[in-house]
């Protein structure tokens, strides 16, 4: 009985393998710098979210070591019982200052931040207006809230307004939520226009800035800074796992909302606090970014070099306006073969297919980083050119 009960899973796995959608994990045994050791091979790293090279920055590593010595390894409680450390509060004050918001709450990850922040704001009597391409963690957070979810067309404030007019009056409250930077295409939400609609109809506003922090705005202060909308968005969701190079999430914004989250956000109440070492490393990341815009400037210089190079070679790199560079290939098997061949040539750039991106829009997503030298970028471009010709893509 036990065997037959599980055969459907075997069948599903076989179907994934046959369609080319089965994910194989590559194993990394080094820091995520410009070059890293993947499956025992030294390769150029073109696919981590280490935008600024902070993940193995000596100051962050030292800060984490000092915190380990001071606090030990684990916080051993949820924040609301006995898990709030001095370093947690210091980090919350510093990130709020950095982003020019009133206050912030740090949680375990960006994914968790969305699950934590949405349900306290809206419930069964309410409605959420959500961009069609929002990140999975926004979708999950929205579902957890049990509010009605109305999807508006991607980055389309006109469609948003049409749907708000049609539906809002049936509900108690409305929330509009969008990714800031869309992580698969690298385009950005028209935040000023979304805000205008929200203001007109009295909607709560939330933006997830996971790929904008450390990248957009002055010295990496994020998408709200990019648009000059300080103090306008009620909630800014963020992560320390990308440009900040560490791990952890945040709910930032108006003080009244952050105060409320401290009482209501379930992952904050029911899951162990972030470790002191992680929090101290995040603090060090904010210090590094507050002192100089050098890393962010280099990230954008590298982005321009790489994108120009790829376009000159004849690749379709989509319509990204950020360091995220999708190399559009369409067919998932082609994308996976391209990625495998790049790897054999010493370049680590992963292929992404359904369900991470829509069917038929498979790609290799290159993440440009400030950690790459000009020689590194040239090496990457040369290998893309070689494999692109070999596979008839260019
Ligand atoms: C990566 C990402 C997350 C998840 O962040 P983690 O800290 O890795 O959990 C959430 N939202 C968006 C938009 C993201 O791109």
């Amino acid at each position: 009985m036990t065997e037959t009960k599980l055969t459907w899973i075997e069948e599903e796995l076989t179907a994934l393998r046959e369609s080319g959608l089965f994910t194989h994990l590559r194993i990394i045994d080094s820091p995520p710098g410009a070059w890293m050791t993947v499956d025992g091979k030294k390769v150029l790293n073109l696919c981590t979210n280490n935008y600024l090279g902070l993940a193995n920055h000596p100051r962050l590593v030292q800060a984490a070591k000092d915190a380990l010595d001071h606090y030990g390894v684990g916080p051993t409680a949820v924040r609301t019982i006995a898990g709030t450390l001095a370093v947690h509060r210091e980090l919350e004050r510093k990130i709020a200052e950095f982003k020019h918001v009133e206050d912030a709450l740090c949680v375990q990850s960006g994914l968790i931040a969305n699950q934590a922040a949405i349900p306290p704001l809206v419930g069964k009597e309410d409605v959420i207006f959500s961009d069609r391409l929002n990140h999975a963690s926004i979708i999950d957070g929205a579902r957890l809230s049990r509010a009605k979810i109305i999807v508006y067309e991607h980055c389309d404030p006109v469609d948003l307004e049409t749907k708000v007019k049609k539906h809002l009056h049936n509900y108690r409250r409305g929330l509009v939520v969008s990714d800031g930077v869309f992580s698969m295409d690298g385009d950005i939400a028209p935040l000023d226009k979304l805000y205008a609609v929200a203001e007109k109809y009295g909607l709560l506003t939330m933006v997830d800035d996971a790929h904008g922090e450390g990248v957009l705005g002055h010295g990496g202060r994020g998408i709200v800074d990019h648009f000059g909308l300080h103090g306008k968005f009620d909630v800014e969701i963020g992560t320390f796992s990308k440009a900040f190079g560490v791990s952890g999430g945040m709910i930032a914004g108006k003080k009244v909302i952050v105060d409320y989250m401290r009482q209501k956000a379930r992952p904050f109440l029911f899951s162990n606090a972030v470790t002191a070492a992680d929090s101290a490393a995040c603090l060090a990341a904010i210090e590094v970014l507050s002192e100089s815009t050098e890393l962010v400037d280099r990230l954008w210089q590298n982005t321009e070099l790489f994108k120009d190079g790829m376009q000159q070679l004849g690749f379709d790199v989509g319509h990204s306006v950020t360091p995220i560079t999708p190399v559009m290939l369409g067919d998932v098997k082609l994308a996976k073969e391209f990625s495998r061949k790049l790897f054999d040539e010493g370049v680590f750039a992963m292929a992404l297919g359904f369900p991470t991106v829509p069917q038929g829009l498979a790609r290799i997503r290159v993440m440009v980083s400030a950690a790459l030298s000009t020689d590194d970028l040239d090496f990457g471009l040369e290998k893309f050119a070689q494999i692109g010709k070999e596979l008839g893509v260019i």
Side-chain angles (χ1 to χ4, degrees):
M1 205 54 207
T2 307
E3 275 68 41
T4 51
K5 188 171 75 176
L6 301 180
T7 41
W8 68 272
I9 302 182
E10 293 292 350
E11 284 160 17
E12 294 251 335
L13 288 170
T14 305
L16 283 173
R17 283 190 191 98
E18 280 167 1
S19 62
L21 293 174
F22 189 87
T23 302
H24 294 274
L25 303 181
R26 293 225 183 254
I27 307 296
I28 293 146
D29 194 19
S30 69
W35 291 81
M36 57 193 220
T37 309
V38 184
D39 291 342
K41 187 178 160 89
K42 194 171 167 223
V43 287
L44 182 70
N45 171 14
L46 292 184
C47 65
T48 63
N49 298 319
N50 191 16
Y51 285 111
L52 301 173
L54 290 174
N56 55 336
H57 191 289
R59 265 176 76 180
L60 274 70
V61 174
Q62 190 58 50
K65 285 180 181 166
D66 292 346
L68 279 172
D69 288 340
H70 183 74
Y71 289 103
V73 182
T76 69
V78 303
R79 289 280 304 271
T80 46
I81 296 181
T84 296
L85 309 174
V87 67
H88 291 140
R89 269 314 283 156
E90 197 184 343
L91 175 60
E92 289 169 347
R93 274 195 291 271
K94 283 278 163 61
I95 190 68
E97 202 179 294
F98 182 73
K99 288 173 74 77
H100 303 299
V101 291
E102 290 174 7
D103 202 356
L105 184 69
C106 292
V107 294
Q108 298 87 348
S109 76
L111 178 144
I112 284 176
N114 278 313
Q115 299 195 351
I118 300 176
L121 295 176
V122 283
K124 275 205 293 275
E125 305 90 342
D126 305 317
V127 57
I128 297 172
F129 298 96
S130 177
D131 186 288
R132 180 171 295 288
L133 296 187
N134 271 347
H135 190 261
S137 61
I138 297 180
I139 297 169
D140 291 355
R143 286 179 180 158
L144 265 179
S145 77
R146 298 197 283 168
K148 172 75 179 171
I149 300 165
I150 307 254
V151 172
Y152 64 88
E153 292 310 319
H154 179 54
C155 288
D156 186 345
V158 175
D159 189 51
L160 168 64
E161 180 161 10
T162 307
K163 288 185 168 147
V164 170
K165 271 189 190 153
K166 185 164 171 212
H167 297 284
L168 183 63
H169 63 90
N170 293 323
Y171 300 92
R172 181 182 60 175
R173 276 200 284 281
L175 165 73
V176 57
V177 56
S178 179
D179 274 30
V181 175
F182 290 85
S183 57
M184 293 301 134
D185 292 296
D187 55 336
I188 62 178
L191 227 54
D192 48 347
K193 300 197 174 76
L194 298 181
Y195 176 72
V197 175
E199 264 300 277
K200 192 165 162 190
Y201 297 92
L203 302 172
L204 291 164
T205 48
M206 180 181 288
V207 59
D208 180 342
D209 201 19
H211 282 275
E213 285 152 343
V215 176
L216 293 173
H218 174 68
R221 277 160 182 76
I223 192 159
V224 170
D225 188 88
H226 173 84
F227 280 99
L229 290 170
H230 301 288
K232 306 284 194 203
F233 269 71
D234 297 310
V235 188
E236 296 177 33
I237 296 298
T239 178
F240 291 104
S241 69
K242 287 169 179 150
F244 289 106
V246 193
S247 198
M250 70 188 94
I251 305 167
K254 296 189 177 147
K255 182 174 182 305
V256 62
I257 290 186
V258 177
D259 282 346
Y260 187 58
M261 292 296 160
R262 257 183 224 109
Q263 307 303 314
K264 295 282 183 183
R266 288 168 70 84
F268 184 77
L269 268 62
F270 297 110
S271 181
N272 196 40
V274 178
T275 67
D278 280 346
S279 301
C282 293
L283 256 177
I286 297 166
E287 278 166 25
V288 170
L289 290 189
S290 301
E291 282 165 19
S292 154
T293 62
E294 188 194 331
L295 290 174
V296 179
D297 296 344
R298 197 180 313 148
L299 170 65
W300 283 97
Q301 283 157 15
N302 282 353
T303 299
E304 205 171 312
L305 273 175
F306 187 78
K307 278 191 186 163
D308 284 355
M310 288 295 280
Q311 265 159 346
Q312 272 164 28
L313 288 170
F315 283 101
D316 173 3
V317 292
H319 47 275
S320 167
V321 293
T322 64
I324 296 167
T325 309
V327 183
M328 305 305 291
L329 296 165
D331 177 57
V332 70
K333 284 186 177 158
L334 172 64
K336 293 208 167 184
E337 190 183 358
F338 204 121
S339 172
R340 256 193 316 274
K341 284 182 180 287
L342 281 174
F343 191 81
D344 292 341
E345 293 292 326
V347 174
F348 184 32
M350 284 291 268
L352 301 176
F354 184 78
T356 312
V357 296
Q359 295 273 16
L361 292 179
R363 65 199 67 182
I364 288 177
R365 186 183 61 164
V366 171
M367 305 299 285
V368 179
S369 165
L372 300 166
S373 69
T374 313
D375 284 350
D376 295 333
L377 290 167
D378 286 344
F379 179 83
L381 286 168
E382 185 191 312
K383 296 304 177 187
F384 262 99
Q386 181 188 324
I387 311 295
K389 283 177 194 141
E390 203 179 311
L391 293 176
V393 173
I394 53 169

